[in-house]
Amino acid sequence: MSTIRLTMAQALVKYLAAQYIELDGEEVPLFAGTFAIFGHGNVAGLGEALYHAQEQLPTYRAHNEQTMAHAAIAYAKAKGRRQMMAVTSSIGPGAANMVTAAALAHTNRLPLLLLPGDTFATREPDPVLQQLEHFNDPTITVNDCFRPVSRYFDRIMRPEQLLTSLPQAIATLLDPEHCGPATLSLPQDVQTFSYDYPARFFARRVHRIRRPVPEAVELDEALAALRGARQPLIIAGGGVHYADACQTLDRFARDHGIPVAETQAGKGALPDAHPLSVGAIGVTGSAAANRLAEQADVILAVGTRLQDFTTGSRALFERDDLTLVALNVGRFDSAKHHALPLTCDAREGLEGLTAALGDWHANDAWREQAGSLKREWDEVVTRVTADHGLPLPTDAQVIGAVNRQAGEDGTVVCAAGGLPGELHKLWQPAGPGSYHVEYGFSCMGYEIAGGLGVKMARPEREVFVMVGDGSYLMHNSELATSVMLGHKLIVVVLDNRGFGCINRLQHATGGAGFNNLLEDCRTVPEGAPKTDFAAHARALGCQAESVSGIAALKAALVRARQASSTYVIALDTDPLPSTAEGGAWWDVAVPEVSEREEVNTAYRGYVEAKARQHR
């Protein structure tokens, strides 16, 4: 047997570079590169190996471990989970920083290969710099924090363990059901140990993502439910995108006349102008989609994990005789809400359903009602996103200006706070690839890094990052990375001077304004200073300007379009209003007892709303 003597780190890099995937009829590298921040736990081992493989596996330097992992996650999402990146950090704070991103990838079922350095396997120099010493278990290190937020975890204690662990990690990253972060914890001494690896281990391997087909009995049960439906509704989730099933969904909806609502992850599966699109569903949904959800007798949920924002905390689907069919590649998700499971790939499942349904068509009156409700909702969107000349515009008005500038080739990126809810309600997507909002984990600090990842994945698109001042101040360093790498972003910073979304939620649950808006926080007597976001962005190498009002924002967006590098636009917005139209109840617990009458009133309303939940 032919062998190659390599260090563990060299073997890892060589193996990753040999992995390919079939994408649009072309064989391309599975790993587009590695984001790396080096420290003593990975620079001598993995760093040296990556240095010699720069042509096959490019290495990108970022400014923060959490946000470089966010960028890698966004890249994988923009690539439909078909290409991905690895991320590596040193042991200690660098590794701990990546745990948040791992949790995000785990929640959203997105592939991310984590390669944190670890302490010495030999323990000879213990305790080394940045080592966590657990007094009664010397095997525990910071990297054990990755266990609950990884789909696959292994600590490589011997170089030959790569032979079994690496294929398992790749299989997890590409598994349509169990997709999520894979973590290989790499002790810094083991990275440098050598071994005679079989040469065939590094042979070029072309992967293809499997597409599970429907099981006959489950398909028959789903067909029976649809054939008996008079008022069916489709809910499209992120799985529609990941299964490359957007066109299949389009044909299925047209062939059978079924309205389509979209989750946050599913938004953009159909263009907003599609005749059967009824917009967003759930807590941040359109009045059209939510009205139909309340009346539907059969709901076909495709590729969605049916989280609380989608179901109105289990209170939106009101009919007692409702049949829910959960078409999902994951058994875990297709079994939720006592649904009829149809556990298969989204594209395969829709094709199987439409082939058997033949010329079956939903009730004409139902389809006409859906169209009428959507037209009414479009009028609402036009009204609330229009420029009313306010000195402090609303989030909705800013969204309208950006949406109109985004056009056919624009992608909006956002994550946390009030903006995702307003975007879900109001953004009118041009189709697949135009909407990228991380709301499964709702992770502040994802926005700018996520925009970088999207731009790296889709350089032909104009990427519009919408971010609040709170999230910008948490994580903004990858602006400098975008400039350094030449990946242009257009970043719109909405400065409402605090955490406006949670301030509104605080008031909605009867609480007093406290510790959210800067004016309600403990500050120096003069008050919190006004942050000059444009000046800060210029200091990071961006082009930037501050504007006032929507008219000035429109003009700035035109200049940003014409710019060749990352362009930041900052403007003050009103922290109080959000779009009242549309939406559904969200279960946010209210104290049973309080000295504030406002809280007691909110609790009585909460108890009343809880009675509508399906248990």
Side-chain angles (χ1 to χ4, degrees):
M1 180 177 66
S2 176
T3 62
I4 305 175
R5 191 161 188 83
L6 299 169
T7 67
M8 182 268 273
Q10 292 163 355
L12 170 62
V13 170
K14 188 175 182 66
Y15 182 88
L16 296 183
Q19 308 307 301
Y20 284 75
I21 191 165
E22 190 176 280
L23 186 64
D24 299 327
E26 182 183 0
E27 295 178 359
V28 298
L30 177 61
F31 290 92
T34 301
F35 271 109
I37 293 179
F38 293 130
H40 70 91
N42 64 346
V43 67
L46 195 56
E48 193 270 347
L50 287 168
Y51 169 80
H52 292 287
Q54 295 180 65
E55 294 300 316
Q56 301 81 27
L57 189 68
T59 297
Y60 302 100
R61 182 196 177 283
H63 289 84
N64 179 281
E65 293 89 356
Q66 181 185 139
T67 49
M68 74 178 180
H70 286 332
I73 293 166
Y75 181 94
K77 181 176 180 177
K79 285 291 190 178
R81 306 198 304 191
R82 287 167 175 78
Q83 277 184 294
M84 62 197 70
M85 289 189 172
V87 293
T88 180
S89 74
S90 185
I91 181 60
N97 277 348
M98 297 197 298
V99 173
T100 297
L104 186 153
H106 190 286
T107 301
N108 291 325
R109 281 76 157 156
L110 291 168
L112 173 69
L113 180 60
L114 294 147
L115 303 172
D118 209 331
T119 56
F120 280 69
T122 61
R123 302 186 193 166
E124 289 176 346
D126 284 8
V128 297
L129 180 66
Q130 299 180 322
Q131 179 172 343
L132 174 74
E133 289 188 275
H134 199 283
F135 299 151
N136 62 2
D137 188 347
T139 68
I140 291 177
T141 76
V142 166
N143 289 355
D144 287 282
C145 296
F146 286 103
R147 291 182 185 272
V149 292
S150 297
R151 298 282 182 175
Y152 180 83
F153 179 92
D154 194 10
R155 180 173 279 116
I156 307 299
M157 301 297 286
R158 294 284 307 168
E160 60 267 33
Q161 290 174 348
L162 286 181
L163 295 171
T164 54
S165 191
L166 265 175
Q168 291 296 333
I170 300 298
T172 300
L173 294 167
L174 293 175
D175 189 291
E177 177 178 2
H178 299 292
C179 182
T183 301
L184 297 181
S185 178
L186 308 176
Q188 65 167 291
D189 52 345
V190 180
Q191 292 177 41
T192 66
F193 293 170
S194 63
Y195 181 75
D196 292 321
Y197 290 92
R200 64 186 182 185
F201 183 62
F202 306 107
R204 177 187 172 104
R205 171 78 184 276
V206 180
H207 299 272
R208 294 167 184 83
I209 297 176
R210 62 188 179 90
R211 291 185 177 274
V213 299
E215 199 270 335
V217 172
E218 291 186 353
L219 184 62
D220 287 343
E221 290 179 341
L223 286 166
L226 285 169
R227 289 189 181 114
R230 291 188 57 79
Q231 298 181 166
L233 177 69
I234 296 169
I235 299 177
V240 175
H241 292 280
Y242 302 143
D244 194 21
C246 296
Q247 291 184 358
T248 307
L249 175 65
D250 184 338
R251 291 192 300 270
F252 181 84
R254 291 179 189 269
D255 288 349
H256 305 295
I258 306 177
V260 179
E262 295 174 329
T263 70
Q264 277 280 16
K267 192 171 175 74
L270 298 181
D272 183 74
H274 191 284
L276 287 161
S277 170
V278 294
I281 191 165
V283 174
T284 53
S286 73
N290 287 348
R291 178 75 180 276
L292 295 170
E294 292 168 350
Q295 299 177 26
D297 56 1
V298 174
I299 291 178
L300 175 61
V302 184
T304 168
R305 61 194 184 95
L306 293 171
Q307 58 122 309
D308 64 339
F309 259 60
T310 300
T311 67
S313 295
R314 297 178 180 251
L316 181 58
F317 308 153
E318 291 192 350
R319 288 182 58 153
D320 290 333
D321 61 347
L322 169 69
T323 299
L324 175 64
V325 180
L327 195 173
N328 201 292
V329 74
R331 175 202 55 77
F332 183 86
D333 292 316
S334 63
K336 290 177 179 174
H337 297 271
H338 304 286
L340 285 179
L342 185 55
T343 309
C344 61
D345 173 78
R347 194 170 79 187
E348 293 288 338
L350 289 173
E351 288 177 349
L353 288 171
T354 201
L357 285 171
D359 60 359
W360 176 87
H361 207 269
N363 184 288
D364 287 344
W366 174 249
R367 189 178 69 257
E368 290 167 5
Q369 180 188 357
S372 176
L373 288 170
K374 179 55 163 50
R375 288 189 291 275
E376 292 175 8
W377 180 250
D378 287 342
E379 292 175 1
V380 171
V381 173
T382 299
R383 173 170 52 81
V384 302
T385 60
D387 179 12
H388 299 290
L390 300 175
L392 289 179
T394 66
D395 290 354
Q397 291 157 6
V398 176
I399 286 169
V402 177
N403 200 169
R404 288 184 284 274
Q405 183 58 237
E408 294 292 319
D409 69 338
T411 298
V412 66
V413 179
C414 192
L419 278 170
E422 295 288 82
L423 284 162
H424 193 213
K425 276 187 182 183
L426 305 173
W427 188 269
Q428 296 176 312
S434 61
Y435 187 86
H436 182 118
V437 174
E438 189 290 298
Y439 210 57
F441 206 52
S442 185
C443 187
M444 293 181 71
Y446 175 91
E447 296 90 342
I448 292 170
L452 172 62
V454 172
K455 187 65 175 182
M456 294 176 76
R458 301 294 183 194
E460 75 281 3
R461 298 192 69 87
E462 198 76 75
V463 176
F464 294 82
V465 175
M466 298 191 69
V467 59
D469 56 300
S471 202
Y472 180 101
L473 288 172
M474 276 194 179
H475 282 301
N476 52 62
S477 57
E478 303 318 330
L479 284 173
T481 308
S482 75
V483 174
M484 178 174 71
L485 296 177
H487 294 299
K488 175 198 169 185
L489 307 175
I490 297 175
V491 180
V492 180
V493 184
L494 291 80
D495 183 4
N496 60 21
R497 298 155 304 286
F499 299 145
C501 172
I502 298 303
N503 177 70
R504 291 191 294 270
L505 182 60
Q506 193 169 50
H507 285 292
T509 54
F514 171 62
N515 206 53
N516 284 312
L517 297 185
L518 295 178
E519 65 185 27
D520 298 326
C521 298
R522 186 182 296 273
T523 68
V524 295
E526 299 78 18
K530 178 75 168 70
T531 303
D532 188 338
F533 291 100
H536 180 267
R538 284 193 291 270
L540 294 178
C542 306
Q543 299 181 63
E545 60 178 299
S546 295
V547 299
S548 297
I550 298 300
L553 172 62
K554 291 178 182 177
L557 286 168
V558 172
R559 291 189 287 273
R561 270 274 194 178
Q562 296 168 346
S564 58
S565 63
T566 294
Y567 201 103
V568 176
I569 306 167
L571 77 162
D572 288 351
T573 58
D574 192 332
L576 299 180
S578 60
T579 303
E581 294 86 349
W585 178 69
W586 185 32
D587 191 341
V588 177
V590 179
E592 293 186 12
V593 178
S594 174
E595 296 178 3
R596 283 179 59 83
E597 184 53 35
E598 295 91 337
V599 174
N600 296 328
T601 300
Y603 177 71
R604 289 191 289 270
Y606 176 69
V607 172
E608 181 180 336
K610 288 280 287 184
R612 297 195 297 271
Q613 278 183 312
H614 295 281
R615 301 183 185 278

